[in-house]
Amino acid sequence: MIIYDFLYNLVFSITQSAVAGDITAMVISALLPLFILVLPFALLAVWLERKVSAHMQDRLGPMRTGSHGWLQTVADVIKLLQKEDIVAAANDRTLFNIAPILVFAGSYLVFAALPFSSAYIGSNIDLGLIFIIAASGFVVAGILMAGWSSNNKYSLLGAMRSAAQIISYEIPTILVILTIIMITGTTNLRTLSEMQTGYFWNWMIFGGAGFSLSKFLFIPFMLIGFVTLFISTLAEVNRTPFDIPEAESELVSGYHTEYSGMKFAMFFMAEYANMFAVSAIVSAIFLGGYQSPFGYLGNTFGLHWLIPIEQFLWFASKGVFFVLVQMWLRWTLPRLRVDQLMALCWKYLIPIAFVNLIIIGLITVL
Amino acid sequence: MSIYDIIFYLFAAITLISAFFVVTIRNIVYSAFFLLFTFFGVAGIYVILGADFVAMVQLIIYVGGIVILMLFGVMLTNKITSVAIKTGTSQIVPAAIGVGMFAGILTATLVNSHWRKVDTAPLLPTTQSLGLMLISEYGIIFELLGIILLIALIGAASLARK
Amino acid sequence: MKEYFQNIWYGFATILTGMRVTFKHLFVPAVTIQYPDVKLQLPERERNRLYVNMDDCIGCDQCARACPVDCISIETVKSIPGEDLGKTSNGKKKALWVTKFDIDIAKCCFCQLCVFPCPTECIYMTDVYEFSEFERNKLVYDFVTLTPVEREEKKANYAKLEAEKAALKAAGTPPAKPSEKVGD
Ligand code: SF4
Ligand code: SF4
């Protein structure tokens, strides 16, 4: 943790207090991804979403704020900042105010464990994968809180649907992650990424590193696992076609119907942060995380400081690629009905993930 | 006082204060949400104690599962049955006896047990040893617990079908 | 069992087909017209904002009476003898000063009924359709070419003439000149 040490030494030399140094360094290095990654990404992603959806429908999308409307989201944020912070009389004021914070904190927690590059990972905890699953519990709680405190039937319905959906789809997610843990024997995302180093055929989706019979046996099942994980994580972040919690045509906009201004923006940001987090997890598990598919320029030219930067770029581009795929799906597919949603989870994804788990377990034993 | 002491007291405060509110507050939805923070604080304390896997499982099962289910129950039943969902006090004497006994047992254990005091022991990952223990030493208990849960699940499903 | 796998296969196949369609449309040129910069050619006989060519208006009030929503209000004053108001482009002699010709375009329903009765074809639809205003009273268009001072002058002139006539009548003398009768 270069950044942490630097900040610690800086504050320590000024105040001569280890605690002050620790606290400042912790707070700042914890906020760093928020400002250098989540906020710019949310701005970019909202703009991308508009442009992608527009072009898929043969429209142009925002064109007038900045060249091709790239400043549109900035303008929107400024507008949201100026908006009145409305708390209706029948809302439960305390919970209503805490809920967006909880939702955003929950989705931001995930970023603590994402391996951005070999040099920067918020917290290189041993249980990275499990931690990511655990963190999503806060999102569910926050969503339920928002729905309940809004005192509005649409909000409550949306929140219930969302919580039910996230809890159900957590099962296939965990099952797929379990297969990965079983093969690699690690839950540490950094180690997991390091295992997939080298070229792209070392990625988990191609059976992981090493050449043996089991690698080739893994490939089809890894593909199944990959698709299952992608679908179930897509459902966990409530994106179309799984956006029944905020189905505009029936629930206004679900659990954030009553919110305005910055609190609404927090939900929105949490959604986009979640999109990236989920894509990053999928790519970290199956597509080598921050590893480059073809080796590093830094190695070729002998510039070793370049490697972490390249890794960060690879990680970000893999994440953004999956975000784009999510958008692509969103503008392709109609929304599922509630029963279809549950059928997909319980009748298709969970059995498939389970059988996959068993087969991969058998192959691992071989 | 190091940073870890501060973090410990922070989590302890979160746990205690929210636990206090869980039992005192009248509104049951508030209670459930405070329970969430209690579990969160406990998970934090687990992490500081080096039990990272337990902490994560605490979060997944209690925060992500139990509390959510409780909230679901409250929210779904609240509007249907017109019973005011509030907590209240009844049966003070038996409760006091029970609580007193339980508190006595806890204090006795606290006083009599030999605490291992290890200063700044390196926090080793516990997941692997825990996993090995679960499937070797405590294998049968583990499986039995699984069966109990399965029975509970089937029982709940058949009750719900009636 | 067979159905189960068929469902999975069908699901994937349809999703991929859909994704192919949307992907293709990513590269289809957009049909959007960048409106204020690029404007569509309007059809020849479109009905938009009204315009009155006051040089030709004879103040006959026909348009105002044809209007179903009463958004045209016209006031005229007879000219006094000796004033030459000129002729309209189709050769009609003008005899009335139009001192008020307001069209409340906010009320107008663009039915074009006012256009046909006009004997001089001086009220007509134009192709201007961007005339939004922040205040509603700014949508009341005043087409009169006379300045406010001139309008008062014309009214005063006519009142004076009338007064003179009345005075003459009272004195028992026939009017020196019969006033022209135009309009109703
Ligand atoms: S177009 Fe119709 S509504 Fe408008 S002024 Fe003429 S007659 Fe009246
Ligand atoms: S009908 Fe024509 S000439 Fe007559 S008042 Fe209207 S605009 Fe003037």
Side-chain angles (χ1 to χ4, degrees):
Chain A
M1 289 299 305
I2 311 160
I3 303 162
Y4 185 88
D5 288 341
F6 169 74
L7 287 166
Y8 177 79
N9 289 333
L10 186 77
V11 181
F12 188 72
S13 63
I14 298 169
T15 59
Q16 298 300 323
S17 139
V19 175
D22 269 326
I23 292 178
T24 352
M26 274 185 186
V27 169
I28 295 181
S29 57
L31 286 179
L32 218 58
L34 178 64
F35 288 105
I36 63 167
L37 210 100
V38 179
L39 287 182
F41 172 74
L43 291 183
L44 174 82
V46 175
W47 175 74
L48 262 182
E49 174 100 64
R50 288 175 164 167
K51 289 308 255 188
V52 168
S53 65
H55 283 285
M56 278 181 179
Q57 296 166 352
D58 300 347
R59 295 183 286 118
L60 284 173
M63 287 296 282
R64 307 196 71 79
T65 27
S67 155
H68 282 258
W70 67 278
L71 279 171
Q72 187 62 49
T73 1
V74 179
D76 283 344
V77 168
I78 293 170
K79 180 201 76 175
L80 280 173
L81 277 170
Q82 294 170 334
K83 275 199 164 181
E84 188 189 350
D85 182 28
I86 298 171
V87 183
N91 289 349
D92 192 321
R93 187 170 270 274
T94 335
L95 294 184
F96 190 76
N97 287 336
I98 300 175
I101 300 173
L102 202 60
V103 170
F104 186 71
S107 51
Y108 187 51
L109 262 181
V110 175
F111 280 74
L114 289 186
F116 289 107
S117 80
S118 56
Y120 184 76
I121 164 165
S123 163
N124 188 18
I125 41 174
D126 203 51
L127 285 159
L129 275 172
I130 313 256
F131 173 79
I132 285 171
I133 300 167
S136 71
F138 287 98
V139 181
V140 186
I143 287 174
L144 272 179
M145 200 188 263
W148 169 261
S149 60
S150 293
N151 207 354
N152 169 326
K153 60 189 167 200
Y154 300 122
S155 300
L156 189 59
L157 262 178
M160 301 278 235
R161 282 182 181 186
S162 162
Q165 177 178 331
I166 295 178
I167 291 179
S168 334
Y169 277 87
E170 221 155 60
I171 301 169
T173 315
I174 293 180
L175 282 175
V176 175
I177 287 178
L178 215 59
T179 54
I180 301 303
I181 295 175
M182 212 162 59
I183 300 169
T184 59
T186 181
T187 50
N188 183 323
L189 278 165
R190 169 103 161 259
T191 322
L192 193 62
S193 302
E194 286 302 335
M195 282 175 144
Q196 308 177 49
T197 186
Y199 293 88
F200 60 86
W201 54 80
N202 285 341
W203 290 354
M204 287 311 289
I205 194 168
F206 299 114
F211 277 95
S212 60
L213 178 67
S214 64
K215 177 183 164 84
F216 294 101
L217 283 178
F218 275 145
I219 292 176
F221 300 105
M222 279 304 185
L223 261 174
I224 295 175
F226 169 73
V227 174
T228 318
L229 186 70
F230 186 74
I231 296 175
S232 56
T233 50
L234 190 67
E236 274 199 61
V237 293
N238 297 339
R239 292 278 301 178
T240 323
F242 305 106
D243 70 336
I244 59 157
E246 43 195 276
E248 296 92 345
S249 43
E250 24 185 318
L251 292 184
V252 191
S253 64
Y255 51 87
H256 50 67
T257 305
E258 294 275 323
Y259 284 89
S260 65
M262 264 333 264
K263 281 190 234 154
F264 171 75
M266 281 179 91
F267 279 115
F268 214 67
M269 221 147 71
E271 183 184 331
Y272 281 91
N274 262 336
M275 274 167 73
F276 182 79
V278 155
S279 313
I281 294 163
V282 172
S283 68
I285 292 176
F286 280 106
L287 296 175
Y290 52 73
Q291 301 290 356
S292 147
F294 330 102
Y296 297 103
L297 285 177
N299 272 337
T300 325
F301 299 122
L303 305 165
H304 286 288
W305 53 267
L306 200 65
I307 296 179
I309 299 171
E310 275 184 67
Q311 286 174 334
F312 177 78
L313 288 180
W314 276 113
F315 188 75
S317 49
K318 282 175 196 172
V320 172
F321 171 74
F322 279 110
V323 170
L324 281 174
V325 175
Q326 289 181 1
M327 292 175 182
W328 184 5
L329 273 172
R330 171 171 180 177
W331 298 103
T332 303
L333 298 177
R335 182 181 307 128
L336 265 68
R337 270 194 332 255
V338 183
D339 63 320
Q340 290 170 332
L341 184 92
M342 288 299 157
L344 176 65
C345 180
W346 293 95
K347 289 190 190 157
Y348 293 91
L349 288 184
I350 292 180
I352 289 173
F354 213 83
V355 171
N356 209 27
L357 176 76
I358 293 171
I359 294 176
I360 287 183
L362 288 178
I363 300 176
T364 325
V365 172
L366 283 180
Chain B
M1 200 151 121
S2 84
I3 181 83
Y4 294 103
D5 291 333
I6 296 178
I7 295 177
F8 171 77
Y9 285 117
L10 202 75
F11 279 119
I14 291 177
T15 314
L16 286 179
I17 294 172
S18 55
F20 177 74
F21 279 120
V22 170
V23 282
T24 51
I25 216 154
R26 314 286 299 175
N27 187 332
I28 205 162
V29 179
Y30 274 52
S31 265
F33 280 122
F34 274 117
L35 197 60
L36 184 117
F37 290 108
T38 315
F39 287 140
F40 172 68
V42 173
I45 290 175
Y46 280 145
V47 170
I48 292 170
L49 289 176
D52 49 358
F53 186 76
V54 182
M56 289 309 147
V57 172
Q58 163 94 4
L59 282 185
I60 294 180
I61 295 184
Y62 285 94
V63 174
I66 308 258
V67 174
I68 304 293
L69 275 183
M70 279 169 64
L71 284 171
F72 248 87
V74 174
M75 289 178 183
L76 279 178
T77 47
N78 180 358
K79 295 272 160 73
I80 303 168
T81 61
S82 50
V83 186
I85 305 221
K86 301 270 187 213
T87 49
T89 326
S90 59
Q91 307 276 6
I92 298 178
V93 181
I97 294 171
V99 169
M101 274 166 61
F102 193 62
I105 295 170
L106 274 184
T107 338
T109 347
L110 254 176
V111 175
N112 291 334
S113 52
H114 300 280
W115 297 101
R116 273 203 304 155
K117 285 185 196 154
V118 190
D119 285 331
T120 60
L123 298 178
L124 295 170
T126 57
T127 325
Q128 194 170 12
S129 43
L130 207 70
L132 283 177
M133 230 143 80
L134 273 183
I135 49 173
S136 59
E137 211 171 320
Y138 301 102
I140 297 182
I141 300 174
F142 188 62
E143 294 295 330
L144 283 178
L145 280 176
I147 292 173
I148 290 179
L149 281 179
L150 184 68
I151 293 171
L153 209 69
I154 296 171
S158 68
L159 276 181
R161 285 204 161 218
K162 279 200 179 139
Chain C
M1 204 62 203
K2 190 170 162 242
E3 200 194 333
Y4 182 82
F5 287 105
Q6 242 169 14
N7 278 347
I8 297 177
W9 173 248
Y10 188 63
F12 269 104
T14 45
I15 287 172
L16 289 178
T17 320
M19 285 176 82
R20 206 178 62 221
V21 171
T22 33
F23 191 73
K24 268 189 203 149
H25 274 270
L26 259 184
F27 305 102
V28 172
V31 294
T32 313
I33 289 159
Q34 293 276 295
Y35 158 60
D37 303 336
V38 185
K39 287 181 189 170
L40 273 187
Q41 181 71 43
L42 286 175
E44 205 179 316
R45 285 170 19 171
E46 84 280 358
R47 306 202 291 221
N48 289 305
R49 186 164 72 175
L50 281 165
Y51 180 73
V52 183
N53 182 3
M54 284 310 284
D55 290 344
D56 280 0
C57 176
I58 53 171
C60 64
D61 206 28
Q62 303 233 32
C63 54
R65 273 180 287 150
C67 177
V69 294
D70 279 346
C71 62
I72 308 179
S73 52
I74 298 173
E75 274 172 19
T76 48
V77 171
K78 285 179 184 152
S79 55
I80 53 171
E83 274 180 328
D84 183 20
L85 281 74
K87 278 191 181 161
T88 64
S89 53
N90 59 359
K92 282 219 168 69
K93 200 161 179 297
K94 296 212 278 185
L96 291 170
W97 291 111
V98 181
T99 54
K100 182 179 174 200
F101 198 118
D102 284 352
I103 298 183
D104 188 349
I105 208 80
K107 282 193 211 155
C108 174
C109 64
F110 305 101
C111 61
Q112 215 179 3
L113 288 178
C114 54
V115 172
F116 303 116
C118 178
T120 59
E121 285 169 21
C122 66
I123 181 166
Y124 50 84
M125 295 281 187
T126 57
D127 59 356
V128 185
Y129 51 89
E130 297 152 309
F131 48 93
S132 53
E133 294 282 356
F134 284 104
E135 286 160 46
R136 202 172 289 173
N137 56 11
K138 285 196 179 151
L139 284 170
V140 179
Y141 292 124
D142 182 1
F143 286 100
V144 178
T145 42
L146 304 173
T147 62
V149 183
E150 281 174 325
R151 296 179 204 180
E152 291 312 312
E153 193 188 300
K154 303 299 173 203
K155 282 184 197 164
N157 280 350
Y158 181 65
K160 216 166 81 193
L161 183 76
E162 281 293 278
E164 274 169 17
K165 270 200 283 184
L168 283 177
K169 212 175 188 177
T173 354
K177 273 183 198 168
S179 62
E180 288 167 85
K181 284 216 166 168
V182 180
D184 43 344

